[in-house]
Amino acid sequence: MKEIVFENVCKKYGKNTIIENLNFTVHSGERLILLGASGCGKSTTLRMIAGLEDITSGNLYMNGQRVNDIVSGKRNLSMVFQNYALYPHMTVTENIIYGLKIQKLPQAEIHARLTAALGKLELDGLENRKPKDLSGGQRQRVALARAVVKRSELLLLDEPLSNLDAQLRVHARKELVKIHQAYKQTFVYVTHDQVEAMTIGDRVAILDKGRLQVIDTPNNVYNRPANIFTAKFIGSPGMNIFKGSYSDHFLQLGKQSIKLSEAWSAYIGEKNCREFYFGIRPEHILLYREKHRDTFAGVVKYVEEYGSRRGIYFETEGSEVVAVTEASDFKPGSNIYFAADSDKLHIFDSKNKKNIGYPEVYHGNIYQYQSV
Amino acid sequence: MKIDSSLKWHVLLCIALFVSLMPIVFAISTSFKELSEAYGNVLGLIPHNPTMANYLRIFQELPLNQITLNTVIVAFAVTVFKIVTSVMAAYAFVYFNFKGKNLLYIILISTIFIPFTMTMIPNYLIISQIGLRNNIIGVILPQLSDATGIFLIRQAMRSIPLSFIEAARLEQAGIFHIMFGIVLPLAKPAVISTGIMFFINSWNEYVWPVLILKDTANYTLPLALQLFISSEGGTDFCVAMAVSVVTMIIPLGLYLIFQKYIISTFTSSGVKG
């Protein structure tokens, strides 16, 4: 299976830099997700792997071979396009075997691969339909079938689930992982949907404005965000970030202060800096209706209903904080008291906005990824 | 309210249909009349004494089979050549990137606005110099390239999603595979309707053939029609209408065969971006 290495890869359109100095490796056989908001350069990155975009500078290697100048057809990869790119004048079968016929594979081999793919992707009975007679989910599976029959070492997927409705998407996510386990190709998958990224990826690479922010496992991306961008980007709602200072066991946020645990105090004490950004996930904020010891006051501004839980947006000392809770009795305008669990804090350098790390006692603190 | 507005459209369409069909029905009807009736009963659609005499006369007086064959050869040659060059040029303008592409395209498209009268004399001199006067090849030659077709087919090709082409490139499909296997089938309605347009334009062409062709045996159908309109013995409308009917049979037949493509081209061009 294919290993892909980006070495100082840049992409420019005229004066506009789309991708800046990209360096990372896609390991052989893994499912790597390129995640980011629209316009961040994730699709361009994928298209550079496919050979559909030229690389302005830098090197792209596949299995050790530099492929910058190798045309897409010779890179031994298959791709599922966002619009599926199924040919409207061909039937399902003709679409699936289009590439195999160009490669002039023996008829028996084509038939065997077709039958296997039709079965695996539950397309039996649709062989002679035209794409316009298929549902969105069926079209997506035909596109996937066309990609897998090629048995290439690398499968590229460009937002393949974005045209499906929410329920179908949950089902298709599982199917994609199953397909990967069956064919074990290297998977590079582009999406703007973080739930897709977290559930499908072995590793997630987050891009912002053409720069790679982080590349790590879904668990680490969520629980050990490498920088403030990642912390805010992943999780819905994203992490609350405050600027504050540390002095003698206490975190000072405006007029309020939080007592830090011994472990955090010792850890921060070793750092030279006293100014930090502090982050806490909405689900790690504890909410109370009455004042307790070590709680702070705020006023509820807005309540977001997620079904099983609620997002409570409240204001404290002029800044907005969001907490997620199962309780349903917080109403806009009401007073609220809250506390942050100092064991679940994230602390970022005030200058480079990178995570300063965690005291050793918290290394096992891995929480469940939550989304709504 | 809905019925009212659809009724309004129906009335409007009926008027349009009447205006466009009337001359054709008039021509067919007159071609079966005797000359005296054609003057006496101008608007009567059903001839009192239907006669085949007009048709017999044109086949006797003219080498009409030869003339029809000439017209078919000219129209088919012009159509096929123009379609081939238009498709290839449109493909290059849509899918290839080369220096000066847009400028070249603008220059090419601006040739649409050069009137025929401007190129008529230079073309005549060239054709005379190479000795193709009074020869249907001389009629065909200057008509072989045309920017209108490039424009129309390019528009159709541009509406094909680029991902279709990219998906084919990933499968190692070469340019001919992509052109004949993907682009042409998807641009088929535009190619066919452009072809029909070329065919009809060439079929109806009058001024250029009249400059080039001298012998009746080399004539095309519109020239044959003219023989009966301005002949010294006065205009015989009935015979002229019989030639008209013969002239329109082939284009009409082609239209009936290909009408579904023609309609889909003109209805989709307004909707697609």
Side-chain angles (χ1 to χ4, degrees):
Chain A
M1 296 299 124
K2 269 207 160 74
E3 182 188 70
I4 303 162
V5 179
F6 280 80
E7 189 183 87
N8 300 322
V9 169
C10 295
K11 173 74 191 175
K12 287 179 185 171
Y13 288 116
K15 283 181 185 164
N16 293 337
T17 303
I18 308 296
I19 299 288
E20 207 174 326
N21 233 9
L22 206 53
N23 286 292
F24 70 92
T25 301
V26 186
H27 302 313
S28 169
E30 79 168 332
R31 293 192 298 271
L32 181 88
I33 312 291
L34 296 172
L35 176 68
S38 47
C40 72
K42 55 191 190 301
S43 281
T44 308
T45 306
L46 190 80
R47 291 169 58 82
M48 286 195 291
I49 301 176
L52 298 173
E53 297 281 352
D54 292 333
I55 293 168
T56 311
S57 65
N59 299 309
L60 178 66
Y61 297 97
M62 287 185 184
N63 286 349
Q65 188 197 1
R66 186 173 179 277
V67 295
N68 289 39
D69 303 320
I70 293 185
V71 296
S72 45
K74 304 250 182 220
R75 293 191 186 189
N76 188 20
L77 50 85
S78 37
M79 182 160 170
V80 177
F81 289 83
Q82 188 172 5
N83 65 358
Y84 308 142
L86 298 178
Y87 302 123
H89 59 296
M90 297 185 194
T91 63
V92 167
T93 300
E94 287 165 345
N95 264 293
I96 295 174
I97 63 172
Y98 178 74
L100 305 184
K101 277 171 84 178
I102 289 178
Q103 287 176 35
K104 297 204 170 77
L105 286 189
Q107 207 60 41
E109 174 70 18
I110 292 179
H111 188 256
R113 288 193 193 184
L114 172 69
T115 315
L118 288 172
K120 191 144 261 152
L121 286 149
E122 295 167 28
L123 290 166
D124 291 309
L126 304 175
E127 294 89 336
N128 296 319
R129 295 232 193 135
K130 292 271 174 74
K132 67 172 171 16
D133 302 321
L134 300 175
S135 70
Q138 288 166 339
R139 282 180 204 174
Q140 187 259 337
R141 296 207 300 275
V142 175
L144 205 54
R146 183 170 69 182
V148 298
V149 288
K150 208 174 158 188
R151 310 254 166 107
S152 56
E153 295 178 324
L154 174 60
L155 179 56
L156 306 176
L157 302 107
D158 190 2
E159 309 217 21
L161 308 186
S162 61
N163 293 330
L164 304 183
D165 60 54
Q167 270 183 329
L168 208 51
R169 219 180 288 177
V170 174
H171 179 72
R173 276 185 339 226
K174 283 190 284 186
E175 292 299 312
L176 275 175
V177 174
K178 262 199 234 166
I179 291 285
H180 176 253
Q181 283 162 351
Y183 290 96
K184 297 198 169 52
Q185 296 158 303
T186 306
F187 240 51
V188 182
Y189 185 109
V190 162
T191 181
H192 63 268
D193 183 322
Q194 49 173 296
V195 183
E196 248 169 71
M198 303 296 265
T199 49
I200 295 173
D202 290 325
R203 287 195 306 155
V204 179
I206 300 178
L207 289 153
D208 179 44
K209 295 178 189 130
R211 288 165 186 252
L212 181 68
Q213 296 293 322
V214 65
I215 178 163
D216 211 336
T217 61
N219 232 324
N220 281 346
V221 164
Y222 184 74
N223 290 304
R224 295 289 181 259
N227 49 40
I228 292 181
F229 177 84
T230 311
K232 284 170 122 171
F233 188 78
I234 292 287
S236 173
M239 189 184 282
N240 296 293
I241 305 280
F242 314 96
K243 194 162 190 179
S245 58
Y246 169 81
S247 63
D248 192 25
H249 288 76
F250 280 93
L251 240 179
Q252 198 69 38
L253 303 165
K255 287 180 199 149
Q256 303 177 337
S257 54
I258 300 173
K259 189 167 192 303
L260 286 186
S261 65
E262 278 301 327
W264 267 123
S265 298
Y267 190 76
I268 295 180
E270 290 168 12
K271 308 276 170 190
N272 280 330
C273 188
R274 286 292 162 263
E275 297 284 317
F276 296 99
Y277 283 101
F278 300 89
I280 182 121
R281 292 241 171 247
E283 58 270 28
H284 298 147
I285 291 180
L286 307 165
L287 296 179
Y288 306 98
R289 294 201 57 79
E290 310 293 334
K291 188 166 173 50
H292 287 64
R293 208 165 68 89
D294 291 336
T295 58
F296 309 108
V299 179
V300 177
K301 290 283 167 204
Y302 176 65
V303 177
E304 229 171 31
E305 183 66 56
Y306 306 137
S308 63
R309 289 171 297 144
R310 270 132 228 106
I312 314 288
Y313 290 80
F314 57 93
E315 198 176 280
T316 179
E317 292 208 2
S319 54
E320 192 184 65
V321 182
V322 56
V324 171
T325 175
E326 287 180 9
S328 59
D329 51 350
F330 296 104
K331 299 279 179 279
S334 62
N335 288 324
I336 201 168
Y337 298 91
F338 68 98
D341 185 346
S342 82
D343 287 352
K344 291 171 181 172
L345 274 181
H346 306 266
I347 302 180
F348 303 92
D349 190 296
S350 66
K351 289 196 186 73
N352 63 19
K353 302 193 175 170
K354 285 189 176 154
N355 197 326
I356 64 163
Y358 300 83
E360 212 177 320
V361 290
Y362 298 135
H363 281 188
N365 262 5
I366 299 291
Y367 325 111
Q368 188 73 45
Y369 166 70
Q370 296 193 359
S371 82
V372 288
Chain B
M1 290 304 283
K2 211 173 174 187
I3 295 164
D4 277 358
S5 78
S6 81
L7 188 73
K8 210 163 65 190
W9 280 112
H10 277 104
V11 171
L12 213 65
L13 286 172
C14 283
I15 295 171
L17 192 70
F18 179 78
V19 170
S20 27
L21 273 186
M22 191 53 207
I24 297 170
V25 175
F26 178 80
I28 295 172
S29 149
T30 309
S31 73
F32 290 104
K33 286 177 185 172
E34 288 166 355
L35 191 59
S36 56
E37 192 190 340
Y39 283 112
N41 174 25
V42 178
L43 290 177
L45 290 184
I46 313 280
H48 297 313
N49 302 309
T51 171
M52 290 297 288
N54 302 316
Y55 287 93
L56 292 173
R57 201 181 135 195
I58 56 172
F59 277 95
Q60 277 161 6
E61 289 186 13
L62 286 176
L64 208 60
N65 290 334
Q66 181 62 43
I67 291 175
T68 308
L69 184 67
N70 291 343
T71 322
V72 169
I73 291 171
V74 170
F76 267 102
V78 166
T79 306
V80 170
F81 265 92
K82 261 196 204 176
I83 283 292
V84 170
T85 52
S86 300
V87 164
M88 294 202 317
Y91 189 92
F93 277 120
V94 175
Y95 298 111
F96 293 164
N97 279 319
F98 51 89
K99 255 198 177 146
K101 180 165 109 168
N102 290 334
L103 181 71
L104 194 65
Y105 182 69
I106 289 167
I107 292 172
L108 197 69
I109 289 307
S110 62
T111 64
I112 294 174
F113 302 100
I114 298 173
F116 168 72
T117 39
M118 255 190 80
T119 56
M120 184 171 73
I121 293 169
N123 274 341
Y124 181 80
L125 293 174
I126 294 168
I127 294 296
S128 301
Q129 287 293 314
I130 54 179
L132 289 175
R133 220 149 25 119
N134 200 17
N135 185 330
I136 56 168
I137 296 174
V139 179
I140 294 169
L141 219 52
Q143 298 189 57
L144 288 187
S145 71
D146 179 82
T148 319
I150 299 173
F151 171 75
L152 289 175
I153 295 171
R154 174 179 173 267
Q155 293 304 100
M157 284 182 182
R158 269 157 58 107
S159 72
I160 299 171
L162 202 58
S163 59
F164 286 10
I165 315 300
E166 290 172 343
R169 275 169 57 196
L170 286 175
E171 305 291 355
Q172 295 195 43
I175 176 167
F176 283 98
H177 250 295
I178 295 176
M179 188 148 133
F180 290 106
I182 293 161
V183 173
L184 272 185
L186 294 175
K188 192 161 76 177
V191 172
I192 289 180
S193 51
T194 308
I196 292 273
M197 191 185 77
F198 286 161
F199 188 87
I200 290 171
N201 284 350
S202 173
W203 187 270
N204 293 340
E205 182 65 46
Y206 176 76
V207 179
W208 181 245
V210 95
L211 283 176
I212 295 295
L213 302 175
K214 294 286 163 278
D215 298 338
T216 320
N218 289 335
Y219 271 16
T220 55
L221 282 167
L223 305 194
L225 178 62
Q226 167 257 354
L227 285 178
F228 293 94
I229 291 178
S230 57
S231 64
E232 302 78 37
T235 300
D236 189 335
F237 283 119
C238 301
V239 178
M241 288 303 120
V243 183
S244 294
V245 171
V246 172
T247 307
M248 75 184 170
I249 285 172
I250 291 179
L252 208 62
L254 284 175
Y255 178 78
L256 288 177
I257 296 168
F258 294 114
Q259 62 172 330
K260 91 174 186 202
Y261 297 108
I262 296 171
I263 289 166
S264 77
T265 301
F266 290 111
T267 49
S268 66
S269 59
V271 187
K272 277 181 192 158

